[in-house]
Amino acid sequence: MEPAMETEYRKPEPIFNPEEREDAIYHTEILPMALTERRRRSQIVPLVLKNRRHLTTAELAAADYIQMGDKPHFMETKVGNKNVVVPFARYFDPVRMEDIGVFDKLAEIQRIAFRVDFQPKLARISKAHNSSHEKCKGTTYDLGVTVQPGHGNDGIQLGGLAKSNDVEIKRLSTLVSEVASRMIKTAFKGFPTMEVLERRWIIDASLTIGSEDNHEVTSIQVNFSMLNQDLVDAIKEVGKVHNDGKDDRTRFTALLFLPYFPKDHFPGRFLITTARLTCTACPFSGVVFTGTHAHFATGMGKYESRYGPNSPFRYHCPPGIQYPPLPSGTKYGRVAIVAYPKRFLMRLKPNAMRPEDMETDAALAHHCTERNMQEFRLRVYVKMHASLLRAANTSADSLISTFSWLNAAGEREYPRRQLAIDALRYAGDELDPEWEELNAAVEKFGCGSKFPNEKDKPKKGSTKCGEEEWIEVDAPMPDERDGIPGTRFLSSSRGFSGSFGGMKSEGGGDVVMRGM
């Protein structure tokens, strides 16, 4: 007999060093490294993360990963001689989702997504507008407007699903945008960056989707996959490690996990491979993060037989949470919905909008409410005519009168007066040092906009995604005595009380364990 080959263990190669403090976890770059090196390290993934179960503290330490809890995560860097702190990521387990008041909306989103005719409807409409949709994108569907390269001034136009003007699709857009907005607003509430981003939403006339309360995301992508289907087969390139290079790097993506699976299946985990963060992708949970950092999901599937129904290595519904039942006969599957900030739409060039799509009532398919549409038009008008409005000393009352509308009952409604006041106040401001500083900071710790082809390697079909390099790390056998951080949930409402520094961690804190 030939001697058994010894397993070759490798140490992870982290990019950032985390430091847990009272209010949050702060990440700083370990050492100055080139973009190509950060990109290479972001594709190295320990095999232990593929396990279809919760991991122990010791296993996470060997993998050099942090199990996200309630604490937010920040990046620290230098811009010039100044230390700059930028919000980065935060996990929302089902208890926190209930705390922020979106649990019922998540239930409605899940009911719509799992209706027997909903995904086939999206597939049918998408195929009618693009016959190669299934081949290129599988069961991934984009709602709202699209940005078509090479179309010049008509580049921003309604996508195929939006053109259908389907009531159910618009309802889903509104619900998702409201949930995503609430998550992002509360993730880093009270932190100065959020005030800068709110100001820029007005100044840049961002083309946000679904609801007037959403100032954070422009686009929504719905991903479907069957229970035991490989993600790459189902949702193509977004099933691999990838970054969303066309996102606005200063802003945040909200990812909603809404799977429906039997009790003998683990829902999987979501990984942000640059910062070495992981969270359980359980039903009615989600994560706010910077989408231009490499990420993907893994570890979903049936538990091994050694992990029985009461095993702590299984996912169990948090105490006090009751998942709303789906109709009898609903097929098991995975639904993940991504609400994200496309840069071209957040930093809008109004002359890039196709007039017949965006300057008529057809635009309601994206805006979903009259108020959202009219307040967007107000912001665009101020952006385009700032010097004229200032010269004419235009009042807020005049502005909201110009963009008023009649509702379904024949009553006149007006844009919010404070929005008009703020828009006029910011009109024509060319200097925004806080905004410039934020943009400079995110470039410092970014990992690029794509995974380009590499020398001496086969040419890839898409540069959006990388290739995971799975490595064995010297992780111990799973032992529940080591602690299982994925089983910890929040026990009460948490949040910010006016200032970021006032937040305390109580029981739901992240576990930070670095391997040696």
Side-chain angles (χ1 to χ4, degrees), residues 177-383:
S177 70
E178 290 173 344
V179 171
S181 176
R182 183 75 60 83
M183 289 171 65
I184 294 169
K185 282 183 170 73
T186 57
F188 311 107
K189 183 179 179 183
F191 199 78
T193 297
M194 308 311 287
E195 296 178 12
V196 176
L197 295 178
E198 176 69 12
R199 179 171 72 242
R200 297 307 306 191
W201 172 78
I202 298 172
I203 294 171
D204 294 330
S206 301
L207 182 51
T208 40
I209 189 172
S211 166
E212 60 271 15
D213 295 326
N214 164 35
H215 303 172
E216 287 73 35
V217 299
T218 62
S219 310
I220 294 170
Q221 182 183 85
V222 187
N223 301 304
F224 296 86
S225 57
M226 293 182 290
L227 190 63
N228 295 307
Q229 184 181 21
D230 189 283
L231 283 182
V232 176
D233 292 336
I235 58 179
K236 307 305 179 187
E237 61 187 19
V238 294
K240 298 178 67 64
V241 62
H242 67 281
N243 60 22
D244 299 305
K246 294 181 180 178
D247 282 12
D248 192 317
R249 297 184 191 187
T250 64
R251 294 181 178 272
F252 309 100
T253 289
L255 173 56
L256 314 181
F257 303 118
L258 293 166
Y260 174 54
F261 57 93
K263 291 183 178 180
D264 62 354
H265 277 63
F266 185 61
R269 59 180 53 86
F270 179 72
L271 309 177
I272 303 175
T273 61
T274 52
R276 305 297 179 96
L277 303 179
T278 182
C279 60
T280 306
C282 61
F284 289 46
S285 69
V287 60
V288 170
F289 69 106
T290 303
T292 52
H293 279 244
H295 56 275
F296 76 116
T298 187
M300 60 286 294
K302 195 170 184 177
Y303 295 108
E304 294 179 33
S305 58
R306 73 179 89 171
Y307 303 114
N310 297 318
S311 170
F313 288 97
R314 286 195 176 204
Y315 169 73
H316 298 284
C317 184
I321 293 293
Q322 185 172 358
Y323 290 126
L326 289 168
S328 177
T330 298
K331 290 184 178 180
Y332 292 122
R334 296 191 297 263
V335 170
I337 302 181
V338 189
Y340 61 99
K342 190 169 286 187
R343 182 184 175 95
F344 199 70
L345 302 179
M346 292 303 305
R347 307 181 188 208
L348 185 72
K349 296 179 179 178
N351 61 5
M353 296 189 295
R354 175 178 282 186
E356 57 265 39
D357 283 359
M358 305 310 299
E359 295 179 12
T360 67
D361 285 348
L364 271 171
H366 176 86
H367 296 293
C368 298
T369 71
E370 287 273 5
R371 176 172 297 281
N372 194 30
M373 183 170 70
Q374 290 302 106
E375 292 188 346
F376 165 71
R377 289 173 175 172
L378 183 153
R379 289 183 287 120
V380 169
Y381 183 76
V382 174
K383 177 184 175 75

Side-chain angles (χ1 to χ4, degrees), residues 93-95 98 315-322 487-492:
D93 71 18
V95 178
E98 188 169 65
Y315 169 73
H316 298 284
C317 184
I321 293 293
Q322 185 172 358
T487 62
R488 301 174 191 170
F489 298 100
L490 305 186
S491 59
S492 62

Side-chain angles (χ1 to χ4, degrees), residues 90-120:
R90 191 170 193 181
Y91 179 55
F92 288 72
D93 71 18
V95 178
R96 187 164 185 83
M97 288 293 204
E98 188 169 65
D99 284 349
I100 67 172
V102 299
F103 204 82
D104 289 344
K105 293 181 189 293
L106 289 170
E108 186 176 353
I109 293 168
Q110 189 188 51
R111 283 197 302 272
I112 293 173
F114 276 94
R115 283 176 187 162
V116 67
D117 59 345
F118 188 68
Q119 186 273 327

Side-chain angles (χ1 to χ4, degrees), residues 29 67 110 130 139 259 380-381 406 457 488:
E29 195 169 30
Q67 180 79 32
Q110 189 188 51
N130 178 5
T139 47
V380 169
Y381 183 76
L406 293 177
K457 289 188 178 181
R488 301 174 191 170

